[in-house]
């Protein structure tokens, strides 16, 4: 029986994917084998020796100490694309409220309606010009990051009659195939900056993307540009954005990650982290996270891990050995030599690496003794050895 600890409220639709004959699920379990989490901070979380995987029901994993997980042989999963439609729809809403002062106009109407002796209809006709703004039609949208969300945004913006430019230095073949052929994919982000009336950011947050939008980047953009950040707060330098708003170079800034500094600034539209806040998105993320966690614990397969390579292998033996190790030379040789010395025949094997770490899955035609497992664990640079029996 595998123990799965939940650190946030996880959609029942996702939890129902975990076979209750094989999994015990709860928020008060100890010595857990797996964790399902959304936004709960885990930087100081004490990992039990039993913990093998963490599945994040969402795309970002900055609340999880991924480096520490890798060192401990803990697989970290996320759910890319599960919330893509929800974020895409919010991007469209964000562009509209950044163009036409819909929010300000709605608030103003309420003020008129709650003011004694005001003829609301007459006031509206007289005051509506204060909330005028441009249409999206025939404007240029720049999309930074062309993954699951960025591709959807590009394609729907074309349907709205916009001219669309996209930039992604790590554009995959799958992502490229999702893009409409009318999207202008540029090799340098500066090309996108200089032509875009609207810019929306859809890249992961890391040390290399921190302050991706800063004073230098903003100075390369068109004047009166409207910037949207529904990805991660740290991607935009708040001080530089405030200066650009005050100078008028940026007309509006929509952020889904407000703080005390940015939320009260004029021409900032601050949303309460609504990107994936739909019941459909929460269900999609929970289902994907639960399935990935279950497949890893039961079968050793890895899909959508942020710290280890994707590896999926059909069962072809009596036992399966799952090995997490450093990505260094001669590891496969040592693994195979150890098995050969113990007269263990290999039926099938897959090995893949991701940066400093690698994952090897070996199907064998016999049960493994504890002595053989300990010999594998003793190989230098081996991090974790797990044996599954078919």
């Amino acid at each position: 029986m595998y123990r799965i600890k939940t650190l946030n409220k996880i959609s029942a639709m996702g939890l129902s994917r975990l076979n209750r004959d094989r999994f015990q699920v709860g928020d008060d379990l100890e010595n857990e084998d797996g964790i399902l989490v959304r936004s709960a901070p885990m930087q100081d979380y004490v990992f039990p020796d039993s913990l093998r995987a963490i599945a994040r029901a969402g795309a970002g994993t900055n609340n999880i100490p991924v480096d520490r997980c890798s060192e401990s042989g803990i697989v970290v999963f996320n759910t890319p694309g599960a919330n893509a439609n929800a974020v895409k729809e919010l991007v469209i809403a964000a562009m509209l409220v950044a163009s036409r002062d819909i929010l300000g106009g709605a608030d103003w109407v309420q003020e008129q309606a709650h003011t004694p002796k005001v003829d609301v209809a007459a006031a509206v006709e007289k005051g509506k010009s204060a909330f005028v703004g441009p249409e999206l039609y025939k404007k240029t949208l720049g999309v930074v990051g062309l993954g699951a969300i960025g591709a959807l945004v590009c394609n729907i913006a074309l349907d709205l009659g916009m001219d669309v430019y996209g930039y992604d230095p790590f554009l995959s073949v799958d992502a490229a195939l999702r893009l409409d052929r009318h999207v202008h994919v540029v090799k340098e982000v500066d090309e996108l900056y200089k032509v875009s009336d609207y810019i929306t950011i859809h890249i992961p947050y890391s040390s290399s993307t921190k302050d991706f939008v800063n004073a230098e980047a903003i100075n390369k953009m068109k004047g009166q540009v409207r910037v949207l950040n529904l990805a991660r707060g740290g991607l935009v330098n708040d001080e530089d954005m405030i200066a650009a708003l005050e100078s008028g170079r940026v007309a509006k800034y929509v952020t889904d990650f407000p703080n005390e500094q940015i939320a009260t600034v004029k021409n900032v539209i601050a949303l309460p982290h609504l990107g994936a806040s739909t019941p459909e998105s929460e269900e999609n993320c929970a289902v994907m996270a639960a399935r990935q966690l279950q497949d890893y614990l039961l079968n050793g397969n890895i899909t959508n891990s942020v710290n280890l390579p994707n590896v999926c292998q059909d069962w072809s033996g009596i036992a399966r050995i799952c090995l997490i190790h450093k990505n260094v030379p001669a590891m496969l040789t040592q693994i195979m030599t150890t098995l050969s010395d113990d007269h263990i025949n290999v039926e099938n094997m897959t090995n893949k690496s991701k940066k400093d770490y690698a994952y090897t899955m070996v199907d064998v035609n016999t049960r493994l003794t504890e002595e053989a497992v300990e010999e594998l664990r003793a190989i230098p640079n081996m991090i974790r050895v797990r044996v599954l029996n078919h």
Side-chain angles (χ1 to χ4, degrees):
M1 180 72 74
Y2 291 102
R3 298 172 300 279
I4 306 300
K5 188 171 186 176
T6 56
L7 299 187
N8 294 102
K9 183 179 179 181
I10 304 296
S11 166
M13 184 73 72
L15 297 181
S16 69
R17 296 301 193 274
L18 297 171
N19 186 334
R20 293 310 168 94
D21 292 334
R22 304 293 304 273
F23 294 91
Q24 180 184 2
V25 182
D27 58 7
D28 58 352
L29 299 178
E30 296 182 352
N31 297 318
E32 61 270 21
D33 300 284
I35 289 175
L36 282 168
V37 63
R38 290 172 60 197
S39 58
M42 295 189 65
Q43 298 299 335
D44 299 321
Y45 194 89
V46 178
F47 299 146
D49 293 338
S50 59
L51 184 60
R52 301 166 190 176
I54 299 170
R56 160 82 162 96
T61 55
N62 52 307
N63 60 316
I64 300 170
V66 176
D67 289 344
R68 188 157 61 92
C69 290
S70 300
E71 294 165 1
S72 302
I74 298 168
V75 184
V76 180
F77 297 97
N78 68 345
T79 57
N83 62 4
N85 189 71
V87 178
K88 173 204 75 177
E89 291 185 1
L90 191 64
V91 169
I92 301 305
M95 284 198 292
L96 289 169
V97 298
S99 298
R100 307 170 69 176
D101 193 3
I102 298 168
L103 300 179
D107 289 341
W108 178 78
V109 168
Q110 289 299 311
E111 291 175 9
Q112 305 311 304
H114 287 85
T115 301
K117 299 181 181 180
V118 169
D119 182 335
V120 174
V124 164
E125 289 305 313
K126 184 178 180 180
K128 66 182 181 181
S129 60
F131 307 101
V132 168
E135 297 180 10
L136 302 183
Y137 183 62
K138 290 192 175 180
K139 302 301 188 302
T140 299
L141 171 65
V143 181
V144 180
L146 300 174
I149 296 171
L152 288 179
V153 170
C154 286
N155 294 344
I156 198 169
L158 288 171
D159 291 339
L160 293 172
M162 302 185 79
D163 195 18
V164 181
Y165 281 70
Y167 167 76
D168 192 329
F170 305 107
L171 182 64
S172 67
V173 174
D174 288 344
L177 290 173
R178 288 194 295 264
L179 286 174
D180 187 288
R181 64 184 179 86
H182 294 98
V183 176
H184 309 288
V185 179
V186 297
K187 295 182 178 180
E188 300 293 336
V189 72
D190 291 358
E191 296 180 57
L192 178 153
Y193 286 156
K194 68 182 180 182
V195 298
S196 298
D197 302 296
Y198 302 79
I199 294 173
T200 182
I201 308 162
H202 301 286
I203 56 178
Y205 177 78
S206 67
S207 58
S208 63
T209 59
K210 183 179 185 296
D211 295 337
F212 187 88
V213 175
N214 53 24
E216 181 181 359
I218 293 170
N219 286 336
K220 297 174 181 176
M221 298 176 187
K222 289 177 66 174
Q224 290 291 291
V225 66
R226 289 164 166 84
V227 179
L228 284 60
N229 178 17
L230 308 181
R232 283 292 177 269
L235 294 170
V236 176
N237 182 289
D238 285 341
E239 293 182 356
D240 292 351
M241 180 55 68
I242 291 169
L245 287 161
E246 290 175 346
S247 70
R249 185 162 192 83
V250 173
K252 293 282 185 180
Y253 174 50
V254 183
T255 177
D256 209 18
F257 308 94
N259 55 45
E260 295 82 356
Q261 182 181 24
I262 198 74
T264 58
V265 175
K266 185 179 179 181
N267 289 323
V268 168
I269 300 171
L271 306 176
H273 202 174
L274 295 178
S277 295
T278 68
E280 295 89 348
S281 173
E282 291 180 6
E283 286 184 359
N284 291 341
C285 289
V287 167
M288 185 183 289
R291 282 177 172 166
Q292 292 169 176
L293 187 60
Q294 177 172 261
D295 195 23
Y296 176 67
L297 292 176
L298 295 183
N299 301 306
N301 293 325
I302 296 178
T303 305
N304 292 327
S305 171
V306 301
N307 62 335
L308 284 163
N310 288 340
V311 175
C312 186
Q313 179 173 294
D314 291 334
W315 278 90
S316 58
I318 294 173
R320 169 166 288 181
I321 314 167
C322 305
L323 308 106
I324 299 173
H325 52 86
K326 291 289 186 67
N327 182 22
V328 295
M331 286 301 295
L332 281 181
T333 300
Q334 294 181 76
I335 292 168
M336 292 303 152
T337 299
T338 300
L339 295 176
S340 177
D341 289 347
D342 287 330
H343 307 290
I344 298 171
N345 187 52
V346 173
E347 295 284 341
N348 198 6
M349 187 272 291
T350 303
N351 167 266
K352 290 185 179 181
S353 62
K354 189 170 188 175
K355 296 183 180 179
D356 295 333
Y357 297 91
Y359 185 60
T360 301
M361 188 187 297
V362 185
D363 285 350
V364 298
N365 62 0
T366 186
R367 300 280 188 238
L368 268 74
T369 64
E370 187 57 34
E371 289 79 8
V373 175
E374 288 303 319
E375 288 174 5
L376 290 168
R377 288 182 176 137
I379 295 174
N381 295 305
M382 186 66 68
I383 298 172
R384 172 162 288 190
V385 177
R386 190 162 66 100
V387 177
L388 302 172
N389 293 312
H390 202 193

